[in-house]
Amino acid sequence: MEEQKYKDLKLGERGAIISIVAYLILSCLKLIIGYMSGSAALKADGLNNTTDIIASVAVLIGLKISQKPADENHKYGHWKSETIASMVASFIMAAVGIQVLIDGFTSMFHNGKESPDIVAAYVALVSALAMYFVYRYNNKLAIKINSSSVSAAAKDNLSDAWVSIGTAIGIFGSQLNMPWLDTVTAIVVGFLICKTAWDIFKQASHELSDGFDEKKLELYKEIILNVKDVKGIKEIKGRYYGNNEVIDCVILVNPSLGIKEAHDIATLVEKIMMEEHGVYDVHVHVEPL
């Protein structure tokens, strides 16, 4: 299983690289056209994509470091490197989002603002279409390799497609003698950047602090209780090594059983959880009922 996990991490790099290339091209295009056309919304969208480059690079670095096997200083491996990289990216994204908001609110008080060139709207629409296809690829890849980081990248791709559509709407609207609509759209983009940063931070901090989905824990509890000769569960806990689930549980068995019989039950629980439900590692402690 561990060898396959490393292969999946390697495959996940492909999705991160595609995102980096797409964001690099689109951010340059948006920033150049944004400044030439005078569109605050398109410039904000371009800055949004620059933060996405950083986030994708962080995911790529995290995926690479996570592939390093356990060593003297990291007995459990380097699985959490991917999550740490995501948290670092969230701070950078938040800083850019706040800057976009400041620029947007400042420009609202400038008089004589003109409507941006209509070409900016078409650039935003093309960008939205491109990001949708990148989302489809990364989402399919995330499902295939069961990667939360690639899945998060795919969701970011989709949100960027929606941001670009909103940008286009704002620019088109500004052509109808409403130049302020472009600035309002830029502010909305700033809020979306900050929200994405918060979502990434919240998920990363949850995993790094050994948080675990309570509903999934209840599901695993039912599965273990259905294992033959398991009479009860005294305690069950879950945590993550990167994208890998680790379960610790204390099961109760018949007190008349011998050590070998009790050990065999624990081994069966571990086998079922790892082979049938994809749990990376299971630690089972046996106690008499």
Side-chain angles (χ1 to χ4, degrees), residues 1-284:
M1 178 185 288
E2 187 166 331
E3 184 179 349
Q4 183 60 46
K5 290 280 186 181
Y6 284 125
K7 287 181 180 179
D8 288 344
L9 287 172
K10 190 69 177 176
L11 193 59
E13 292 180 18
R14 189 185 302 171
I17 291 171
I18 289 175
S19 291
I20 291 169
V21 173
Y23 285 134
L24 191 60
I25 295 172
L26 293 176
S27 63
C28 289
L29 181 63
K30 289 176 185 176
L31 289 172
I32 291 171
I33 301 299
Y35 280 104
M36 290 176 63
S37 64
S39 172
L42 192 63
K43 285 187 286 185
D45 196 2
L47 285 173
N48 177 34
N49 287 158
T50 61
T51 65
D52 294 321
I53 294 172
I54 297 169
S56 297
V57 169
V59 169
L60 180 61
I61 293 172
L63 286 167
K64 285 186 174 295
I65 297 177
S66 295
Q67 294 173 50
K68 294 174 64 177
D71 56 32
E72 186 177 347
N73 296 321
H74 301 84
K75 299 295 185 181
Y76 293 99
H78 297 76
W79 300 106
K80 290 190 176 183
S81 300
E82 186 179 352
T83 313
I84 294 171
S86 296
M87 179 170 282
V88 171
S90 72
F91 292 137
I92 299 170
M93 292 178 70
V96 174
I98 292 170
Q99 185 59 52
V100 169
L101 287 173
I102 293 172
D103 292 343
F105 281 115
T106 301
S107 67
M108 286 185 70
F109 300 100
H110 290 172
N111 296 322
K113 180 173 173 58
E114 297 181 356
S115 298
D117 195 302
I118 192 69
V119 70
Y122 294 119
V123 169
L125 288 177
V126 170
S127 174
L129 187 62
M131 289 317 305
Y132 176 73
F133 283 112
V134 174
Y135 154 74
R136 288 287 300 271
Y137 177 85
N138 278 337
N139 189 55
K140 186 176 180 180
L141 179 62
I143 294 172
K144 180 180 178 181
I145 66 176
N146 190 31
S147 170
S148 62
S149 65
V150 178
S151 177
K155 291 176 182 176
D156 190 28
N157 298 149
L158 184 60
S159 70
D160 289 326
W162 283 112
V163 166
S164 293
I165 290 174
T167 299
I169 292 173
I171 297 170
F172 281 128
S174 69
Q175 303 297 311
L176 305 174
N177 295 321
M178 294 185 293
W180 51 267
L181 191 58
D182 180 65
T183 301
V184 170
T185 304
I187 293 172
V188 172
V189 170
F191 277 116
L192 287 172
I193 296 172
C194 290
K195 183 184 182 302
T196 302
W198 169 251
D199 290 340
I200 293 173
F201 171 79
K202 184 169 67 173
Q203 180 65 28
S205 60
H206 179 71
E207 292 181 6
L208 288 172
S209 59
D210 288 339
F212 201 83
D213 187 348
E214 285 295 323
K215 292 182 179 179
K216 184 170 283 189
L217 212 54
E218 285 297 318
L219 173 62
Y220 289 160
K221 186 175 181 179
E222 291 181 15
I223 292 169
I224 294 172
L225 285 172
N226 287 326
V227 175
K228 185 181 178 183
D229 295 325
V230 173
K231 303 300 182 182
I233 295 179
K234 183 178 180 180
E235 185 180 34
I236 182 168
K237 296 182 290 187
R239 61 187 188 280
Y240 288 96
Y241 288 165
N243 292 321
N244 306 311
E245 295 178 350
V246 179
I247 300 298
D248 299 287
C249 66
V250 179
I251 61 173
L252 303 174
V253 299
N254 192 320
S256 64
L257 294 177
I259 293 177
K260 184 181 183 304
E261 293 171 306
H263 178 267
D264 289 343
I265 296 172
T267 301
L268 180 60
V269 169
E270 293 171 356
K271 182 179 180 181
I272 290 173
M273 294 297 292
M274 294 172 69
E275 295 183 2
E276 297 183 15
H277 301 281
V279 178
Y280 176 70
D281 200 6
V282 184
H283 305 138
V284 180

